[in-house]
Amino acid sequence: NAGVTQTPKFQVLKTGQSMTLQCAQDMNHEYMSWYRQDPGMGLRLIHYSVGAGITDQGEVPNGYNVSRSTTEDFPLRLLSAAPSQTSVYFCASSYSTASGGAGTQYFGPGTRLTVL
Amino acid sequence: AQSVTQLDSHVSVSEGTPVLLRCNYSSSYSPSLFWYVQHPNKGLQLLLKYTSAATLVKGINGFEAEFKKSETSFHLTKPSAHMSDAAEYFCVVSADNYGQNFVFGPGTRLSVLP
């Protein structure tokens, strides 16, 4: 299993450009999430999905769009990049346990995005 | 709303001495709690998790954590620090009873001195 993969690893954008960060998992997990990591703030949830065709907003969704057409893929779109979106982005997948509690989240290696 | 407080932004210990990283949480539901570690310029790795089984949870690399409901705490400990333990540590609570919407603490940076 490759686990959770993210592309690209690094990206530099100019203000106003759009782009898509790719995320894929091969563990057949129901849940997928996108986080951004900024110094001193831990990881903050951008969007998440509880299954194909179902997405919801997290703590910091503005400026980002997601869709989930398959179980495996969960791309994150930046509509019009701004310097405030300079960050490291992590994708994660997880599952529910038989008891209903949270399963382990598995993280991708991250994408370091700089917006000039 | 769920939240996580990590009481120390930076902890420094000497190699071979005990490690204590503190975490307090608030949750409307019976929480699932996790500790993750992130080494410099790396991704996140699960250390251990609590999901309503035993209150003392053992993880990888000699770490363990104790869930104390009365104190709403989930502190991470290790009896003897190793240089390779130097990293950022995140306490995480699952913010709903479906096991999704994880909330991260701000992190504690652990330094290990020779």
Side-chain angles (χ1 to χ4, degrees), chain B residues 1 3 34 38 46 49 55 65 76 81 96 109:
Chain B
S3 66
F34 305 80
Q38 184 180 33
L46 178 71
K49 66 179 180 181
T55 56
L76 182 71
D96 62 47
R109 182 164 62 90

Side-chain angles (χ1 to χ4, degrees), chain B residues 8-21 37-40 63 78 80-89 107-114:
Chain B
D8 305 293
S9 59
H10 182 213
V11 170
S12 185
V13 301
S14 297
E15 190 173 23
T17 64
V19 175
L20 170 63
L21 305 183
V37 61
Q38 184 180 33
H39 287 92
F63 285 94
K78 183 174 180 177
S80 177
H82 191 272
M83 296 296 289
S84 61
D85 294 328
E88 189 92 19
Y89 291 80
T108 297
R109 182 164 62 90
L110 176 64
S111 297
V112 182
L113 307 175

Side-chain angles (χ1 to χ4, degrees), chain B residues 56-99:
Chain B
L56 182 62
V57 182
K58 294 189 185 299
I60 62 172
N61 299 335
F63 285 94
E64 62 181 37
E66 186 172 8
F67 173 69
K68 292 186 176 180
K69 186 175 181 179
S70 61
E71 298 176 10
T72 60
S73 69
F74 191 57
H75 301 334
L76 182 71
T77 60
K78 183 174 180 177
S80 177
H82 191 272
M83 296 296 289
S84 61
D85 294 328
E88 189 92 19
Y89 291 80
F90 295 97
C91 183
V92 183
V93 63
S94 173
D96 62 47
N97 60 354
Y98 297 104

Side-chain angles (χ1 to χ4, degrees), chain A residues 31-33 35 37 40-43 45 48-50 90 94-96 99-109 112, chain B residues 32 34 36 38 41-46 49 51-52 88 90 92 94 96-107:
Chain A
Y31 306 129
M32 296 186 75
S33 306
Y35 296 88
Q37 183 178 26
M41 303 187 74
L43 275 72
L45 184 65
Y48 66 98
S49 169
V50 300
F90 288 98
S94 62
Y95 55 92
S96 60
S99 62
T104 300
Q105 276 200 316
Y106 294 84
F107 286 85
R112 188 173 296 272
Chain B
S32 296
F34 305 80
Y36 281 85
Q38 184 180 33
N41 298 313
K42 299 287 188 185
L44 288 96
Q45 181 183 21
L46 178 71
K49 66 179 180 181
T51 54
S52 75
E88 189 92 19
F90 295 97
V92 183
S94 173
D96 62 47
N97 60 354
Y98 297 104
Q100 255 306 80
N101 206 348
F102 296 80
V103 176
F104 278 70

